Amino acid sequence: MMTNTFTRHRRLRKNSAMRALVRETHLHVDDFIYPIFITEGENQKNPVPSMPGVFQFSLDRVKEELDEVVSLGIKSVILFGVPDDADKDECGTGAFHTHGIIQRGIRFVKEHYPELLVVADTCLCEYTSHGHCGIVENGAVLNDESLELLVKTAVSQAEAGADIIAPSNMMDGFVTAIREGLDEAGYLDIPIMSYAVKYSSAFYGPFRDAANSAPQFGDRKAYQMDYANRLEALREAESDVAEGADFLIVKPALAFLDIIRDVKNNFNLPLVAYNVSGEYAMVKAAAANGWIDERGIVMETLVGMKRAGVDLIITYHAKDAARWIKETN
C-alpha cells in the first residue's frame, strides 16, 4: 500500500468551485480601457480589414459604439483621431487644433457620457504628412522641437475635457514637458499615463491601418525601443517616474510579460499593458479559421497580463471579455 509521502496538489483542483475558491488572479471589467478610432466625415463606420470587429467611426456614428461600451460596464476608453489626409502637414497641426478630430471626439464623449473616463492618446504621427511622431528635418526626427508641439497637443486635449493624457511619442523628456505645460495651463489634476516602455514592434501593423499612421519613410527605431533590450526598459520607466508620470504603460504586452514583471517589481505606480493590434489580429484570424477557442485564448492571455503584474489593460478584446466575465459571474 502506498504511503502518503508526497503532496497532493490536486486536492485544490478537483472541481470548478474549488478552483474558483483558490484562484489567485482575477480579471474584472474595471481593468479594461477600450480603444476607439474617430474619423472625419458623416455616417462613417469603416471596418479595419486587419482587425475584425474594429471600426473607424465618424462622430455621428460613434454613439452606437459608446452605448455598447457603457452597457457592458466598461468605464474607460482611449481615443485615437483619424484626420483626412488633406488635413495633415509637416508639423501635425491637426493634433493640437481646437477643432481637431480628437478634440471634437473628446468633447462629444464627455457631453454624452460624462461617466466615461476618457484617455487621450497624445502623439503627432496620425496628423503628420510623413507619419512620424515629431518634427522631421533632413530625415531625422527632432526631439526638443517636437516636445513643444506635444505640449500644445496635451493642453488642447485637456481643454477639450480629457481625463487622462497618454503621450505615446517616445521623445526624451516628454513627461517633464507635458507635466509643466499642463500645470502652467491650470490642469494640475490631469494625470499622465506615460507610454514609458514602448518597443519598436512588428505587432503594430494593424493599428497603422486603423489610424492611417504608417511612416512614409524609414521607421521609428531611433525613438522606440529595441525589443531585445530589458534593462533599457527600467531606465525609461525610471526617468518617466522622476519626471512626474502617474501611470506607466508597457507596449506591446504578450512578447514582453517579463518586462511587465520587471517594471512592476521596481515601481509602485499603476501599471498598464497595451494588448496591441497585432496581438488582437492574430487571435481573430486563428479563431476565424477554427484553429483556436477564441474565448479561451483571450481570457488566458488577459489573465496572464494581470498575473505578470499589470493593473489595467488597453485591449481591443475588452467588449468580448466583458461579456464573458458577465456570463461567468
Side-chain angles (χ1 to χ4, degrees), residues 186-250:
Y187 298 105
L188 285 77
D189 294 331
I190 300 293
I192 296 174
M193 181 181 285
S194 171
Y195 285 71
V197 181
K198 182 177 179 180
Y199 285 92
S200 179
S201 173
F203 285 103
Y204 301 153
F207 173 89
R208 291 172 182 171
D209 292 339
N212 193 19
S213 62
Q216 298 303 300
F217 66 89
D219 53 42
R220 295 175 178 151
K221 293 182 179 180
Y223 46 100
Q224 294 179 357
M225 291 172 51
D226 184 340
Y227 63 74
N229 293 352
R230 177 179 171 225
L231 297 180
E232 184 183 7
L234 297 179
R235 297 197 298 270
E236 288 279 359
E238 183 177 24
S239 64
D240 284 9
V241 171
E243 291 174 19
D246 301 284
F247 302 78
L248 300 174
I249 298 176
V250 175

